[in-house]
Amino acid sequence: MKTKFIFGFFFLAVLTFPPAGACAAPEKMPEGFVDIKSVIPDVELDVRYYGLHNFLGEQVDGYNAGKCILTKEAAAQLAKVQKELGQFSLSLKIYDCYRPQRAVDHFVQWATDITNTKTTKEFYPTVDKRNLFKDGYIDSRSGHSRGSTVDLTIVAIPVPKQENYMTGQELSACHLPADQRFRDNSIDMGTGFDCFSELSHTENKSIGLRQRTNRALLKSLMTKHGFRNFEKEWWHYTLNNEPFPNTYFDFVIE
């Protein structure tokens, strides 16, 4: 009996456990999502979490390509914004779209490592990293993972050349005037993207008139076409009638 039991257990284990090195098939992009370039071919992309110029200072988990993936509904409404901007020789430029849950987990891991401060000077020079959770800059969940949230700005057409970011270069605070911070090619919104500062609050009155006007232009068009703004980030918009309001996806961008 003992020999039969051992043999039976071994046989069951072979059937149950995958061989060494095997792994589960990666989650694929679900129905209902599209690459924004298939809907808005002329949109500008600057997917920061695919590269190194972001508040972590490293490529983020789940970003295997510099693509913008959105729900079909969000992409369709965004196309309407792009069409209106095109009448004035302007275009949307997108920093981030769908964000895998594993990327959000990467953010959390980074935020808990208070010894990693290599991007402090640019992205959060006036904020104590220990307070990023308390102050609401980092959370364990993100609307981006539901697929209908987008971070974006406006650029002129023809699109101006943007400064090349080089690892280890001298950093400048994101809340400084446009000619003193990283030279993004967007119209001046008063701060850089992902700037952890009260100056990034959409309705902040401390920025200049031109910058407030630029934010108002973006907000009015996005609101007109069904998006709502997150008041602490001038670049952050979510589709009002998002198709997956309670689902946080984790498929990789590739």
Side-chain angles (χ1 to χ4, degrees):
M1 288 294 293
K2 185 175 182 181
T3 301
K4 290 181 179 179
F5 174 78
I6 292 174
F7 177 78
F9 177 80
F10 174 77
F11 183 71
L12 180 62
V14 170
L15 293 177
T16 305
F17 298 103
C23 59
E27 184 181 351
K28 295 183 179 180
M29 186 170 75
E31 290 292 327
F33 284 79
V34 293
D35 184 329
I36 196 64
K37 281 287 190 177
S38 70
V39 181
I40 316 175
D42 59 343
V43 73
E44 287 292 311
L45 296 183
D46 184 7
V47 183
R48 293 289 185 90
Y49 302 135
Y50 174 61
L52 303 178
H53 187 212
N54 54 62
F55 66 86
L56 293 84
E58 59 196 42
Q59 185 176 344
V60 177
D61 292 348
Y63 287 82
N64 292 352
K67 296 179 180 179
C68 165
I69 305 298
L70 285 172
T71 61
K72 291 179 179 179
E73 293 83 352
Q77 293 306 111
L78 212 57
K80 297 176 183 179
V81 178
Q82 178 77 345
K83 184 176 181 180
E84 289 209 40
L85 286 172
Q87 300 174 33
F88 304 98
S89 295
L90 297 171
S91 169
L92 291 172
K93 184 176 93 162
I94 296 174
Y95 296 114
D96 194 33
C97 298
Y98 157 73
R99 181 183 304 164
Q101 180 59 46
R102 70 191 69 194
V104 180
D105 296 341
H106 192 169
F107 288 3
V108 172
Q109 181 184 34
W110 169 85
T112 56
D113 180 7
I114 60 173
T115 65
N116 181 352
T117 57
K118 60 184 177 182
T119 65
T120 302
K121 188 173 180 181
E122 179 173 2
F123 292 97
Y124 54 105
T126 63
V127 178
D128 190 326
K129 189 176 182 181
R130 292 172 294 185
N131 296 329
L132 292 180
F133 286 102
K134 179 174 66 70
D135 293 343
Y137 292 110
I138 302 290
D139 202 345
S140 59
R141 292 283 195 179
S142 170
H144 282 276
S145 301
R146 302 194 298 263
S148 296
T149 294
V150 59
D151 294 338
L152 74 180
T153 186
I154 297 172
V155 292
I157 299 175
V159 180
K161 186 176 180 180
Q162 179 165 288
E163 175 184 356
N164 289 323
Y165 175 78
M166 304 294 291
T167 303
Q169 74 178 54
E170 182 69 19
L171 301 178
S172 301
C174 55
H175 58 72
L176 292 175
D179 60 351
Q180 297 178 39
R181 62 178 186 264
F182 177 81
R183 291 185 292 281
D184 190 294
N185 59 358
S186 69
I187 63 176
D188 187 4
M189 294 291 189
T191 75
F193 166 63
D194 259 357
C195 188
F196 297 176
S197 166
E198 289 188 359
L199 290 178
S200 294
H201 295 187
T202 309
E203 304 295 336
N204 191 299
K205 299 297 190 293
S206 297
I207 60 173
L209 176 60
R210 184 179 67 174
Q211 291 79 13
R212 295 201 305 274
T213 301
N214 289 342
R215 290 185 186 185
L217 171 62
L218 178 61
K219 185 177 181 180
S220 63
L221 287 176
M222 294 295 286
T223 301
K224 176 181 178 181
H225 294 293
F227 291 86
R228 64 183 182 277
N229 173 243
F230 175 46
E231 69 277 3
K232 292 184 178 180
E233 298 177 349
W234 58 259
W235 56 82
H236 181 117
Y237 287 86
T238 299
L239 186 68
N240 289 322
N241 297 317
E242 53 182 316
F244 305 107
N246 301 306
T247 305
Y248 295 82
F249 295 91
D250 192 36
F251 62 90
V252 170
I253 301 167
E254 52 191 359

